[in-house]
Amino acid sequence: MLRCHSCLSRCAQVSGLPEGFSVHPPELLQSSLEFIHSRAHTPPSLHSTQARVVPCGAAISWCAVSSQPLDVTANGYKQGVTKKALGTARARSLISKVELFHSFLELLTVADDSQLPESLRGKKLSSYWDYKQAAEEYQQAWAVLRSEAFPLWPRSPRELLLFCRDPYVAPNRPDSAGTASAVPEQS
């Protein structure tokens, strides 16, 4: 809980955010139930150097989506995915950057141009990086947050953010090309 308090206090001091952006403290909930497999509940014999207790690589993410409220992953991949499917769309978590980007692109297909923010109108954007950079106010707010609260926040290498929509995802605009590449060519 100490890390959460530190994070909240750092964010509370942030100032100079662009119009429309403000700090919203999250509501943090903690269960009073104890996890029966935690280190505190393991037999002392397992604490020796012979048998090491290691954390599990599994995660459960809950969201308020009726069609798929749970996203269970193991070591970064959807639980139950076969080795043959690793590296494919079937293995991706619903909360991965790629899948969230695909959901965003699907929203663009049903949105009228008048509903889009000015930063997206009339622009030929294709990669995740392109869309992120087009959100200028967001970029300004994130720069303030990084400089004032999270100076050590890791940055993903740009080449990892140049992904485009997969061929199975519908194009985001009728006037855009119907195919997509995994990584756009750089000049």
Side-chain angles (χ1 to χ4, degrees):
M1 203 63 158
L2 182 58
R3 285 186 186 166
C4 285
H5 178 70
S6 171
C7 179
L8 293 175
S9 62
R10 277 193 271 168
C11 290
Q13 305 305 317
V14 171
S15 61
L17 291 170
E19 187 177 328
F21 289 86
S22 60
V23 176
H24 296 275
E27 181 181 355
L28 301 174
L29 304 173
Q30 185 172 357
S31 172
S32 61
L33 299 175
E34 289 195 41
F35 182 53
I36 61 167
H37 300 292
S38 70
R39 186 173 186 87
H41 291 285
T42 56
S45 62
L46 291 179
H47 293 204
S48 70
T49 56
Q50 295 170 339
R52 223 174 91 202
V53 177
V54 294
C56 176
I60 302 172
S61 304
W62 286 274
C63 61
V65 178
S66 60
S67 63
Q68 231 169 347
L70 287 177
D71 188 37
V72 182
T73 57
N75 299 316
Y77 298 102
K78 275 189 180 177
Q79 185 176 9
V81 171
T82 62
K83 285 185 181 182
K84 185 177 178 180
L86 291 180
T88 68
R90 290 182 52 210
R92 287 196 292 250
S93 167
L94 297 174
I95 59 172
S96 68
K97 285 181 183 180
V98 173
E99 289 302 315
L100 291 173
F101 181 55
H102 289 165
S103 295
F104 170 75
L105 292 175
E106 287 177 26
L107 284 175
L108 290 181
T109 64
V110 297
D112 186 71
D113 274 347
S114 64
Q115 296 174 306
L116 297 178
E118 194 66 41
S119 62
L120 295 180
R121 293 184 198 163
K123 294 186 178 175
K124 297 258 184 202
L125 306 171
S126 60
S127 71
Y128 176 82
W129 172 265
D130 295 339
Y131 280 95
K132 289 290 277 195
Q133 294 307 304
E136 294 172 7
E137 292 86 10
Y138 165 81
Q139 291 299 334
Q140 291 169 2
W142 184 219
V144 169
L145 194 60
R146 241 190 343 258
S147 68
E148 294 184 21
F150 301 111
L152 300 177
W153 190 273
R155 295 178 191 231
S156 298
R158 183 177 176 183
E159 60 269 13
L160 295 180
L161 306 175
L162 291 174
F163 56 86
C164 296
R165 68 181 153 267
D166 285 344
Y168 73 87
V169 177
N172 63 332
R173 285 282 175 251
D175 57 316
S176 67
T179 61
S181 61
V183 178
E185 291 182 23
Q186 291 184 340
S187 47

